Amino acid sequence: MSDTTLSKEEKQYKRLTEEPVARLVLELGLPTTISMLITNLYNMVDTWFVSQLGTSATGAVGVVFGLMAIIQAFGFMFGHGAGSNISRLLGAHEKERAKAFSATGFYLAVGAGVLIAVIGIVDLNGLCRLLGSTETILPYARIYAFYILVSAPAMASSCVMNNVLRYEGYANLAMVGLVSGGILNMAGDAILMWGLNLGIRGAALSTMISQYVSFGILLFFFLRGKTQSSLAPKYFTWEFAVHKNILTAGFPSMMRQGLASVSTMVLNAQAAVYGDIAIAAMSVVSRIFNFVFSVALGIGQGFQPVSSFNYGAKKYSRVRKAFWFTLCASLVTMAVFAGVVYVFRRELLLQFLTDMDAYEIAFYALQIQCLTLPFIPVCICGNMLFQSIGKGGRATILASFRSGTIYIPALLILTAFWGIRGIQWSQPVSDILSAVLSLPVAAAFIKGLPEDGVEV
């Protein structure tokens, strides 16, 4: 049968199961990488605008980052959980069953976002202090946090739509939604903060507006029938198996994002001992670090639909090839980006920090993190492999390493014995140990995959 006589669904199936895996991973990974770079770029631009208001305002951005991680933890859990199942079901030609996962994941995320917003707004001061705010940072943090909480339903549900689009192989559509919101946010910062003189309230309001615009664009693609899955309420189900499979596949994302939020709280609490300058310094380093980290994450997310779809289609040789290609491509890319950041580390930090004490803390931390950045793809690729094929237990363990189960003890122990140097070294130590523990687990599984067509 020629390609011209195939339906849209059949063409997509053929593309994901027959196109060379290296090209396919790059095709799906490039839009995702661009999306994540733009998202993290607007986070950095946001930090730059806020940094003009002073060190305490800059610290507030780092504090509220933990709140955003909590919201995204639920969004990614339902998004990756639904998307992973959808991709495997489409690979097995079970389109109608896939619709139950997309609708259920979407409405669960909306509900979680509303719940977080209500709980957070009821005790805003308590929430900000829990996130690591000092008394001087609190006035800025509570303003920023309020608008982030109002945007929580859109932020969480957008994560679901974005991931469902990616897992279906429509990474370009996901990119349009995220990039549009990111560009709007950067423009909004300039207009609302300086044009209308709204200060940190303008930065927070800009973020909230951009989240709802991004939500609207992503929703439009589903309403116009661009996908095989659906968000129609009639497909939402309380069926135990659907909820169980979403939570099982998505829990690694919850662990990764949730522990990232807890880690941010612990980091802020440890840094607070050294004043607002330490919180601001590590906040800026985190934003720069996350920008580079998003490159490896974007390539890895290009791998996920290839892995899950072909695993569902029992084409295990393609899963194997895709994994090793993704790992090698990520290692090389991260090494290059780490080198660029290392060379220009001074110029980057001076864009965000005017206090020289904060600058010195950030300079040392960023310098050593650049040296360990190439270790990160090992943990990412292993985690995404197991999550994409529904092996939730192993995915959760690997996801928790650098986000918390290794990082938090390293932070507490090193800080206790080494003070501020311990804070600066905790993430690099965590990255190295996470890579050492992750690689054997992933490599052993890949080696043990059966021949194509065999039921596992």
Side-chain angles (χ1 to χ4, degrees):
M1 184 182 295
S2 67
D3 285 354
T4 56
T5 61
L6 296 175
S7 67
K8 182 178 73 172
E9 289 81 5
E10 290 169 331
K11 288 179 181 178
Q12 189 70 345
Y13 182 91
K14 184 176 181 180
R15 176 192 176 211
L16 290 170
T17 57
E18 296 182 15
E19 188 172 312
V21 292
R23 187 170 71 192
L24 189 57
V25 168
L26 292 177
E27 283 179 357
L28 296 174
L30 182 60
T32 305
T33 302
I34 293 172
S35 300
M36 301 201 71
L37 285 173
I38 294 295
T39 299
N40 281 280
L41 178 61
Y42 87 64
N43 283 335
M44 290 176 65
V45 170
D46 203 46
T47 303
W48 182 84
F49 274 106
V50 173
S51 70
Q52 310 306 302
L53 302 175
T55 301
S56 295
T58 305
V61 176
V63 167
V64 178
F65 184 75
L67 172 60
M68 295 176 70
I70 293 172
I71 299 168
Q72 290 169 345
F74 284 92
F76 282 126
M77 177 174 70
F78 296 127
H80 281 291
S84 172
N85 281 281
I86 289 167
S87 188
R88 280 179 278 126
L89 287 168
L90 294 178
H93 298 290
E94 296 183 42
K95 178 180 175 180
E96 288 303 307
R97 181 65 172 167
K99 293 179 179 179
F101 284 89
S102 55
T104 303
F106 175 78
Y107 291 108
L108 287 175
V110 172
V114 171
L115 185 61
I116 292 170
V118 171
I119 293 174
I121 291 172
V122 166
D123 187 14
L124 199 54
N125 286 345
L127 173 63
C128 291
R129 289 191 178 98
L130 179 64
L131 291 169
S133 176
T134 64
E135 290 306 311
T136 49
I137 288 175
L138 183 62
Y140 297 99
R142 69 185 314 277
I143 293 172
Y144 208 108
F146 173 79
Y147 289 97
I148 295 301
L149 287 167
V150 173
S151 68
M155 190 181 299
S157 55
S158 291
C159 288
V160 175
M161 292 187 286
N162 172 49
N163 278 288
V164 169
L165 287 169
R166 285 196 313 100
Y167 273 101
E168 283 200 32
Y170 300 116
N172 285 327
L173 297 181
M175 178 184 70
V176 171
L178 292 181
V179 169
S180 299
I183 293 173
L184 177 63
N185 198 345
M186 288 185 278
D189 278 343
I191 295 170
L192 296 174
M193 286 189 70
W194 307 125
L196 298 180
N197 199 31
L198 292 178
I200 197 167
R201 190 182 304 276
L205 187 58
S206 175
T207 299
M208 184 194 77
I209 293 171
S210 71
Q211 288 293 332
Y212 277 99
V213 169
S214 181
F215 168 86
I217 293 171
L218 291 169
L219 182 63
F220 173 79
F221 294 137
F222 284 87
L223 297 179
R224 288 297 301 270
K226 299 290 185 180
T227 62
Q228 297 184 59
S229 52
S230 173
L231 303 180
K234 67 179 181 180
Y235 290 111
F236 176 86
T237 177
W238 290 106
E239 183 185 337
F240 175 76
V242 173
H243 287 252
K244 173 179 176 292
N245 288 339
I246 288 176
L247 294 177
T248 299
F251 191 67
S253 293
M254 165 63 82
M255 284 294 290
R256 182 175 62 246
Q257 290 293 121
L259 282 173
S261 180
V262 174
S263 296
T264 300
M265 295 180 204
V266 176
L267 173 62
N268 288 335
Q270 296 295 305
V273 176
Y274 304 94
D276 289 1
I277 59 168
I279 296 178
M282 296 310 296
S283 172
V284 168
V285 170
S286 294
R287 288 299 172 103
I288 296 173
F289 179 78
N290 285 331
F291 180 79
V292 180
F293 174 77
S294 67
V295 178
L297 201 59
I299 297 173
Q301 290 187 344
F303 159 72
Q304 281 186 305
V306 180
S307 173
S308 57
F309 205 98
N310 283 281
Y311 191 83
K314 300 182 178 63
K315 294 181 179 290
Y316 308 114
S317 61
R318 290 175 61 81
V319 177
R320 190 179 296 111
K321 291 176 183 176
F323 173 80
W324 289 119
F325 171 78
T326 303
L327 179 59
C328 293
S330 298
L331 287 170
V332 172
T333 305
M334 287 299 281
V336 171
F337 270 79
V340 172
V341 173
Y342 186 87
V343 170
F344 295 103
R345 62 197 185 282
R346 186 180 304 276
E347 290 79 6
L348 282 171
L349 291 174
L350 287 174
Q351 296 299 314
F352 302 98
L353 297 168
T354 54
D355 186 298
M356 293 313 295
D357 290 331
Y359 167 81
E360 291 297 333
I361 294 172
F363 183 84
Y364 185 85
L366 184 61
Q367 185 171 257
I368 57 176
Q369 286 194 26
C370 284
L371 300 178
T372 57
L373 274 173
F375 287 91
I376 292 176
V378 177
C379 193
I380 291 177
C381 290
N383 168 39
M384 290 189 167
L385 166 68
F386 291 120
Q387 185 173 24
S388 66
I389 61 176
K391 305 295 182 183
R394 275 170 281 190
T396 300
I397 292 171
L398 298 191
S400 70
F401 281 163
R402 68 175 305 274
S403 298
T405 55
I406 291 178
Y407 174 72
I408 292 176
L411 176 62
L412 295 175
I413 293 169
L414 291 174
T415 304
F417 286 96
W418 208 5
I420 191 69
R421 280 286 186 262
I423 294 176
Q424 294 163 320
W425 270 96
S426 54
Q427 188 66 68
V429 168
S430 175
D431 289 338
I432 294 171
L433 292 178
S434 299
V436 170
L437 293 173
S438 298
L439 184 58
V441 178
F445 179 82
I446 284 292
K447 185 178 180 181
L449 283 173
E451 298 296 318
D452 289 358
V454 177
E455 191 71 45
V456 294

